[in-house]
Amino acid sequence: MLLFFTLGLLIHFVFFASIFDIYFTSPLVHGMTPQFTPLPPPARRLVLFVADGLRADALYELDENGTSRAPFIRNIIMHEGSWGISHTRVPTESRPGHVALIAGFYEDVSAVAKGWKENPVEFDSLFNESKYTWSWGSPDILPMFAKGASGDHVYTYSYDAKREDFGAQDATKLDTWVFDNVKDFFHHARNNQSLFSKINEEKIVFFLHLLGIDTNGHAHRPSSRDYKDNIKKVDDGVKEIVSMFNHFYGNDGKTTFIFTSDHGMTDWGSHGAGHPSETLTPLVTWGAGIKYPQRVSAQQFDDAFLKEWRLENWKRLDVNQADIAPLMTSLIGVPFPLNSVGILPVDYLNNTDLFKAESMFTNAVQILEQFKVKMTQKKEVTLPFLFTPFKLLSDSKQFNILRKARSYIKHRKFDEVVSLCKELIHLALKGLSYYHTYDRFFLGVNVVIGFVGWISYASLLIIKSHSNLIKGVSKEVKKPSHLLPCSFVAIGILVAFFLLIQACPWKYYVYGLLPVPIWYAVLREFQVIQDLVASVLTYPLSHFVGYLLAFTLGIEVLVLSFFYRYMLTAGLTAFAAWPFLTRLWTRAKMTSLSWTFFSLLLAVFPLMPVVGRKPDISLVMGAGLLVLLLSLCVVTSLMKRKDSFIKEELLVHLLQVLSTVLSMYVVYSTQSSLLRKQGLPLMNQIISWATLASSLVVPLLSSPVLFQRLFSILLSLMSTYLLLSTGYEALFPLVLSFLMFVWINIEQETLQQSGVCCKQKLTSIQFSYNTDITQFRQLYLDDIRRAFFLVFFLVTAFFGTGNIASINSFDLASVYCFLTVFSPFMMGALMMWKILIPFVLVMCAFEAVQLTTQLSSKSYHIYQVSFT
């Protein structure tokens, strides 16, 4: 049995890892030739401002008085440059956004494993292609571009990571630091001949990363005065820097300025998903090579932003975020980043039509180079008769388009060149996606075959060893045949040889060969399959169809709940009606009513907004008071039982009550301190971490009696959960726990009703009690319903108060009692523990159900393996 569980864990790990190998592999290829426009660029230098976390509407809209929060930027839009919206992609995080801006491609999702700080795959960027780049800002962003640069020409100046404090008194100091250091840098350059000569070279970049707006957005929300005032501070700082550049370079007209953002932010102060408030960012450009404002009478867009922002008469030029990289490279005349997939927005350029055509042609060739390398790589590792090329962009079509584009340039048909090159780019991008996902179908089929085989094997093992389903069916013992193992050995050899001759990665061998032994194990149980079919055929057709429909409906509700949270409400409502559809109502009216009440109460949570959108500390305090009231009632009840309640147990409960009181105090005082912008008090931080640590140990000191141990686990976990709560979600574990306790009782009633076993008192059952194996029973069809309840409650525990599949569901304010300085791994771990606490409560309850219903641990664990 230990071998079975070990094998199950290994197989599930392989299936989980396959998600990343199928859907989240790096799109980057290497081996391309650098491409650059063969004409003089309009600018010698480029200044890139990135206001981290700045929403497009927050910059462009007018305030309640009809004035702009960023008057300098708005003046640029109306009198000096071009503007638009930059559309970002998921995940809307800082690193992916900066990679798209500076390297021109959309980030490999595997970078999340390094906290969006390191380069899982090396890539080219504007900074790498420049002659020199100087950058100022966050230590989380700057190093990744310096680390991937060839040579020693990318210089970074960043503040200490401890300055990124969400509880700090004034987050605008992060931006002030950047502006002040840039000024000091140029002041120092006047007295340093070597530095002076470098910053007067051509093809140079100055990058200013401004983190204050993002920090204030997380800490105070984008609607706050802090966030809006920070925009004004940034606008003032940009104005000073632009003035300084113009003065330093003598207004030579060779500087291009670009102001944009890496991502936006939701109204509740988070980002990472695809809400428009996260994906719509501002783009304002001016200076050398940039078109002046274009007055228009009407513009066609699918939104009403222009009217809201009162910019309907100034031409808006929208781009994708990755398009900004080729725009910057063409302006200063450096090669396009090798992995860029951005399309040059020629409408921003103020240059000759020849320059635009040549730049667009270079852009097309650069992306086509990636397509050729990707196709060659895939062709080399695929058997010729199995290789299926991308038919929309054959070699002959590539040649014809490039030849035609060159002919158009020669005949000065520049508009036709731009259109033709855009067509070639779109085809090349489709081809890149085609070859990037070339093996997806093969890998997906193998994983599905393996997964279905594993579910089948686990189910057959349950039926064979732990049920009466095939009892009484005649079983003929046949002599084992060597044909089956020999056949599967041959299949395994063929699969391995097929992968070997194609030089596939080692992981392909795992996914390709894993189904072979699994299905061999399934077919070895062919006799069980025959007996199962024979047993099913003995059931009345109406019963069989009814069970099948109920099972299908339950699975559909589970699947839909991953996309629509309100489906959990529908499921819980159905659960509430369950006792009335059976004889439970007549046997245990109080238990049935309690089940219905708490099921309906829990059903309310999926209908409420995602956690963090409407923080309310009073609800957290209310949840704490309910925990204290519940503790008082339970301890008073237990103290009356002098024979089963000793002083040591009372001490443990009092310690947990004290922990709950301290948690409430920490939540309240931390909230007050942060509102006064005094940061996280050290004592509060110590208490929070101590509470978290003790919550993992104290339940082990409580009585092993089932009810007392469950109650102790609830108290310990609730003290931590209160510290991680910001609103109504603090009530969720309480309601869930009440329902779990009723579930334990009602499952006893169902077994007693069916006559399977006698009802036991909860006060007489202990978690440490070694039940006699003769007391264990076989599995029945009703146990499938129990397993379904478990899975449904687990899904409810995960999605009941939010959508963990969406990054913007996580509110950083949840961890402010533990730390406020930005630390992605630590913050992520704390938020993950918050998600897991309801999961732990459900699993503890199911362990109690297993004990009270006399279901063997062996059967119970196989059920878990098969259902997960």
Side-chain angles (χ1 to χ4, degrees), residues 247-260:
H247 181 262
F248 186 89
Y249 289 105
N251 293 303
D252 63 354
K254 292 294 183 179
T255 306
T256 301
F257 300 94
I258 293 185
F259 181 90
T260 186

Side-chain angles (χ1 to χ4, degrees), residues 89 124 131 134 152 172 191 201 221 247 302 311 356 399 456-457 466 508 634 662 803 847:
R89 286 192 186 179
D124 192 22
K131 192 162 188 178
W134 289 271
D152 186 22
T172 60
N191 304 314
E201 295 275 2
R221 308 291 189 265
H247 181 262
D302 295 332
L311 291 170
K356 295 178 184 178
F399 177 77
S456 302
Y457 177 65
H466 304 283
Y508 283 40
V634 171
L662 287 175
N803 180 9
E847 176 69 18

Side-chain angles (χ1 to χ4, degrees), residues 768-779:
S768 60
Y769 182 59
N770 293 320
T771 308
D772 184 359
I773 195 170
T774 59
Q775 294 182 1
F776 290 141
R777 60 179 178 81
Q778 294 282 10
L779 296 175

Side-chain angles (χ1 to χ4, degrees), residues 251-277:
N251 293 303
D252 63 354
K254 292 294 183 179
T255 306
T256 301
F257 300 94
I258 293 185
F259 181 90
T260 186
S261 175
D262 54 346
H263 57 75
M265 187 171 289
T266 61
D267 291 339
W268 54 96
S270 63
H271 54 81
H275 191 275
S277 61

Side-chain angles (χ1 to χ4, degrees), residues 153-172:
H153 66 282
V154 178
Y155 305 98
T156 63
Y157 305 91
S158 56
Y159 38 75
D160 189 83
K162 292 182 180 179
R163 285 176 171 260
E164 299 178 18
D165 190 343
F166 298 110
Q169 184 174 3
D170 187 7
T172 60

Side-chain angles (χ1 to χ4, degrees), residues 39-40 346 349-359 412 414:
L39 293 174
V346 290
L349 296 177
N350 181 21
N351 213 315
T352 64
D353 290 338
L354 174 61
F355 182 86
K356 295 178 184 178
E358 286 286 1
S359 298
R412 306 185 67 80
F414 301 124

Side-chain angles (χ1 to χ4, degrees), residues 215-230:
T215 305
N216 271 317
H218 284 305
H220 307 291
R221 308 291 189 265
S223 59
S224 66
R225 177 53 54 190
D226 302 84
Y227 185 88
K228 295 173 181 178
D229 287 346
N230 204 151

